[in-house]
Amino acid sequence: YTCDLIRNFSIIAHIDHGKSTLADRLLELTGTIQKKQVGRNEQVLDKLKVERERGITVKAQTASMIHKFSGKEYLLNLIDTPGHVDFSWEVSRSLAACQGALLLVDASQGVQAQSISVFHIAQERGLKIIPVLNKIDLPAAQPERIAAQMQSTFGIDPTEIIPISAKTGQGVEAILEAIIQRIPPPSGLENAPLKAFLFDSFYDRYRGVISLVNVQAGTIRKGDKILSCHTRKRYEVQDVGVMYPEEVPVDCLRPGQVGYVSCNMKESSEAHIGDTLFRIGHPVEPMPGFKPAKAMVYAGVFPVDSNDFPKLEESIKRLTLTDRSVTMQRESSSALGQGCRLGFLGTLHMDVFRQRLEDEYDANVIITAPTVPYKVIYKDKEVYISNPTEFPDVTDTTSKVKEIHEPVVRASIIVPEEGFGDMMDLCYSHRAEGLEHRYLDAGSGSTSSRIILTCIIPLSEIVTDFFDQLKSRSSGFASFDYEDAGYKKSDLAKMTFLLNAKPVDALALIVHRSAQDTIGRAWVKKLHKVIPRQLFEVPIQAAIGRKIIARETLSALRADVTAGLYGGHYERKMKHLENQKESKKRMKRMGSVDLPQEAFFDILRK
Ligand code: GDP
Ligand code: MG
């Protein structure tokens, strides 16, 4: 395939608007996969188990297909993009390999927050946008109204919109034609030296790291000796091919083509996203790469049974081979033992990772409350801290801390008019500032108009319960997205919890001073509820610095109660309890208090 017969495109859509279903239809229509019975909904591109279970795409997948149009055979490369706020980095890297994108909008739901954010990324990259209205088969579909929304939100000419039903296949053929006619072919020079842009990688148990590349110039084939601009490492190409939709070897990849390259990379860190590969002896100017994914949410992960740490660490390492956006460091806690501190792109990313860890590696883990990276400014230096235990005591006047800054995001929420007040309350209760809003469309008859609300909000407020509350308060009708908006000075402090006057490191939190009393009281109550009574009285306290701000007392378990339960001599019974403790690895010792694992789970699940 020469360049003019190649099209590289992507599908951008809000979650659930039908991207995976459309991808399946396109693959079927081009004969890339066998047609399945209508109604069955197994998406080919969503490969991971969690993606199927949750119906979200986490890792971008790539597939090629061949389509005949006016007597010529075209090679169409679909580069799938994830549809969630946490993965906008994956979105931009997928789009970097495309010249065009299908902007898919659900004809019953209309434009949603994530369609807008991804659309902007696509537009910035100069991609040709093909607007598509999906689900026109639904009785609730309002194609004219949503088309008008697309016009007002994206500046799209309504006559360019292709109405389809990805479910029934209606109109999908027209998309293939539009891809060929409207999206420009990639430009690339066949006889120039090889220049291949590495935009993704995955791990194969037998062949090591496989890179997905977009050939910008020249050709790449088996036996080629290549070099990475970024790592300066040398490789011999073992195999090249296209994803059709699984790997199919080909002789060579030509300019404009998207495909895989296997070249004995052992470590996934060798496949640097945004890297440029070239032939040894024919150096090229590297392509502008992009900023690495930035971890914004951190949490400690500990094995339930401390003996399992080596196994857990091994499992995490293996998982990070397939998900490079997770960062990892060792961490130890006096309450939870040896563990790892992981950095994620967002909370969904964190949940997905935990689920994969449990599903694929059978790991029983405890995850501490998520935190964001805070910037602590001293007189002479700045330090980023993402672990509450390392946070300085700002109430200590000798601590030399000048200011604390926290990451903030620009949030956009789209909500039907009647839910607007609730959303404002939600934002204000999460320390939002600079609220602005405008109407997305005028509404018509039975349907209310929708409002887009933007504000600046601390990321720490979003990583806890914001999204769940947004969904429940709007009965699922609000959509939400956010982008990085830098750092902002804030009045924060570390809250510690003491059991029997001993601080429990794993429970430390960073809180805004204005909310410290409420949070302190709530947590102390909660601890009081989940911690089982001990043989002695246990004070449960919340503190900021040296100041106690909330307290509950867990009364002692009376001796005769234990006697009644177990019978026998008191001494023997105590021994018995001791033994039980010993054998119960699930017990965690916090200060002088023993806490069953389940209690810890309860606390940290919030
Ligand atoms: P994604 O999150 O964008 O990948 O969305 P999916 O492809 O997983 O689709 C979300 C849901 O919408 C699934 O239950 C699909 O069966 C359904 N769906 C997708 N396209 C259509 C369509 O054209 N009509 C109808 N009625 N349902 C559709
Ligand atoms: Mg999907």
Side-chain angles (χ1 to χ4, degrees):
Y1 290 90
T2 49
C3 267
D4 58 320
L5 295 175
I6 298 175
R7 299 292 181 272
N8 298 319
F9 72 104
S10 183
I11 307 175
I12 57 187
H14 191 78
I15 192 159
D16 273 348
H17 282 199
K19 186 166 43 126
S20 304
T21 313
L22 175 60
D24 281 4
R25 283 303 91 72
L26 292 173
L27 294 176
E28 280 171 14
L29 209 61
T30 54
T32 314
I33 54 169
Q34 289 293 312
K35 199 173 161 75
K36 281 171 292 192
Q37 274 173 301
V38 180
R40 288 256 309 279
N41 197 30
E42 260 182 76
Q43 275 123 18
V44 179
L45 292 184
D46 295 350
K47 285 183 183 162
L48 300 168
K49 186 176 168 220
V50 283
E51 292 186 339
R52 295 213 170 171
E53 278 175 5
R54 293 182 173 231
I56 52 163
T57 307
V58 174
K59 238 184 113 50
Q61 305 283 358
T62 298
S64 298
M65 48 201 132
I66 294 164
H67 188 60
K68 270 219 174 78
F69 181 71
S70 61
K72 287 189 217 155
E73 259 190 12
Y74 288 85
L75 179 68
L76 311 180
N77 298 312
L78 164 60
I79 294 151
D80 195 18
T81 53
H84 189 274
V85 283
D86 285 0
F87 306 103
S88 58
W89 177 74
E90 297 235 357
V91 173
S92 48
R93 92 183 191 207
S94 314
L95 293 182
C98 301
Q99 286 74 42
L102 305 176
L103 172 66
L104 189 68
V105 175
D106 183 323
S108 66
Q109 301 255 308
V111 174
Q112 300 286 346
Q114 286 151 45
S115 335
I116 299 180
S117 56
V118 181
F119 171 80
H120 286 311
I121 303 176
Q123 210 179 28
E124 273 166 27
R125 294 199 165 268
L127 302 197
K128 172 70 194 169
I129 307 283
I130 300 175
V132 179
L133 259 180
N134 189 28
K135 307 199 188 179
I136 53 166
D137 61 294
L138 286 178
Q142 296 179 297
E144 291 81 29
R145 177 175 174 226
I146 308 300
Q149 250 182 33
M150 289 170 83
Q151 183 175 20
S152 71
T153 320
F154 303 118
I156 277 166
D157 176 357
T159 62
E160 287 194 1
I161 298 175
I162 305 174
I164 65 153
S165 164
K167 189 170 168 188
T168 66
Q170 183 191 349
V172 177
E173 182 90 41
I175 291 185
L176 289 170
E177 280 172 29
I179 290 169
I180 292 169
Q181 290 182 316
R182 298 191 207 167
I183 297 178
S187 54
L189 299 167
E190 183 109 9
N191 296 320
L194 170 71
K195 189 168 179 178
F197 177 65
L198 196 162
F199 67 93
D200 200 0
S201 71
F202 57 94
Y203 187 76
D204 182 279
R205 214 171 274 221
Y206 305 105
R207 294 172 299 164
V209 181
I210 313 275
S211 305
L212 290 178
V213 300
N214 182 348
V215 179
Q216 305 278 328
T219 55
I220 184 167
R221 49 163 48 87
K222 185 174 169 174
D224 280 350
K225 306 238 180 349
I226 56 167
L227 206 139
S228 144
C229 280
H230 184 78
T231 63
R232 308 308 296 182
K233 284 199 170 134
R234 292 154 179 260
Y235 303 96
E236 181 173 331
V237 177
Q238 302 297 312
D239 187 17
V240 297
V242 292
M243 306 298 287
Y244 189 64
E246 302 291 332
E247 292 129 78
V248 176
V250 297
D251 276 351
C252 83
L253 292 174
R254 296 176 183 287
Q257 260 184 294
V258 170
Y260 71 88
V261 173
S262 150
C263 58
N264 277 343
M265 282 188 184
K266 298 275 181 300
E267 298 277 332
S268 57
S269 58
E270 293 172 53
H272 182 80
I273 307 300
D275 198 357
T276 304
L277 304 173
F278 63 95
R279 190 162 291 134
I280 293 174
H282 300 274
V284 294
E285 190 69 15
M287 310 260 309
F290 24 19
K291 281 184 277 175
K294 209 164 43 168
M296 287 314 272
V297 178
Y298 291 82
V301 178
F302 296 86
V304 166
D305 181 336
S306 22
N307 294 325
D308 285 344
F309 178 71
K311 195 177 136 220
L312 175 72
E313 192 180 33
E314 180 59 33
S315 303
I316 290 175
K317 276 195 178 146
R318 247 192 279 159
L319 266 182
T320 53
L321 287 179
T322 63
D323 187 350
R324 300 267 306 287
S325 40
V326 177
T327 62
M328 174 184 152
Q329 263 178 300
R330 278 198 178 191
E331 173 178 21
S332 64
S333 147
S334 57
L336 297 171
Q338 187 68 240
C340 295
R341 188 136 197 103
L342 302 182
F344 303 99
L345 303 173
T347 42
L348 175 74
H349 187 209
M350 179 172 89
D351 284 349
V352 166
F353 192 86
R354 187 210 340 235
Q355 202 183 339
R356 288 183 65 186
L357 202 57
E358 283 173 357
D359 287 355
E360 293 169 34
Y361 295 97
D362 214 15
N364 207 351
V365 296
I366 299 178
I367 299 197
T368 61
T371 57
V372 300
Y374 295 98
K375 187 154 85 181
V376 180
I377 302 178
Y378 293 92
K379 281 204 183 66
D380 51 343
K381 61 177 177 182
E382 286 179 10
V383 185
Y384 286 88
I385 290 180
S386 57
N387 190 342
T389 53
E390 291 160 14
F391 203 81
D393 177 5
V394 290
T395 62
D396 177 357
T397 46
T398 63
S399 77
K400 296 204 174 73
V401 174
K402 260 176 65 189
E403 280 171 11
I404 306 278
H405 291 219
E406 67 178 327
V408 291
V409 296
R410 171 173 297 281
S412 334
I413 298 169
I414 296 182
V415 64
E417 198 172 21
E418 59 273 16
F420 181 59
D422 263 346
M423 287 303 117
M424 293 239 294
D425 290 347
L426 177 69
C427 290
Y428 281 127
S429 67
H430 286 77
R431 297 196 279 129
E433 285 176 4
L435 259 74
E436 279 173 22
H437 73 277
R438 65 180 170 84
Y439 283 87
L440 209 56
D441 63 12
S444 60
S446 58
T447 45
S448 57
S449 44
R450 296 193 314 147
I451 291 177
I452 179 163
L453 188 161
T454 56
C455 61
I456 298 288
I457 195 166
L459 181 63
S460 66
E461 295 285 334
I462 284 178
V463 302
T464 49
D465 63 341
F466 188 82
F467 195 64
D468 292 338
Q469 282 206 29
L470 176 105
K471 285 288 169 203
S472 66
R473 286 206 203 180
S474 68
S475 323
F477 285 122
S479 69
F480 165 66
D481 203 355
Y482 63 82
E483 60 189 28
D484 187 7
Y487 273 79
K488 203 165 177 183
K489 184 177 168 189
S490 188
D491 189 16
L492 299 164
K494 170 159 75 174
M495 180 176 288
T496 48
F497 292 90
L498 302 100
L499 293 186
N500 220 7
K502 294 231 171 61
V504 181
D505 58 0
L507 294 180
L509 295 175
I510 309 300
V511 297
H512 194 257
R513 300 298 294 271
S514 66
Q516 69 183 38
D517 293 352
T518 332
I519 296 175
R521 274 198 296 273
W523 274 85
V524 160
K525 275 222 169 65
K526 180 167 181 151
L527 290 171
H528 184 255
K529 215 157 81 197
V530 298
I531 298 176
R533 289 158 79 196
Q534 313 281 317
L535 293 166
F536 44 88
E537 189 180 278
V538 180
I540 303 169
Q541 295 164 307
I544 299 271
R546 297 168 156 277
K547 189 162 173 254
I548 303 295
I549 56 164
R551 174 190 169 121
E552 292 272 341
T553 307
L554 195 65
S555 55
L557 203 58
R558 276 176 303 146
D560 58 318
V561 173
T562 343
L565 284 174
Y566 298 97
H569 188 254
Y570 182 74
E571 294 289 311
R572 256 183 45 215
K573 185 184 63 233
M574 287 302 291
K575 248 255 121 64
H576 178 73
L577 283 177
E578 277 312 312
N579 288 341
Q580 241 187 0
K581 266 183 236 153
E582 276 303 308
S583 64
K584 267 196 189 168
K585 290 230 174 66
R586 293 180 153 243
M587 286 289 213
K588 293 282 174 193
R589 180 157 264 258
M590 305 204 309
S592 51
V593 178
D594 284 312
L595 196 63
Q597 203 53 69
E598 295 72 52
F600 228 111
F601 253 130
D602 274 358
I603 297 166
L604 294 174
R605 213 163 11 207
K606 216 181 164 216

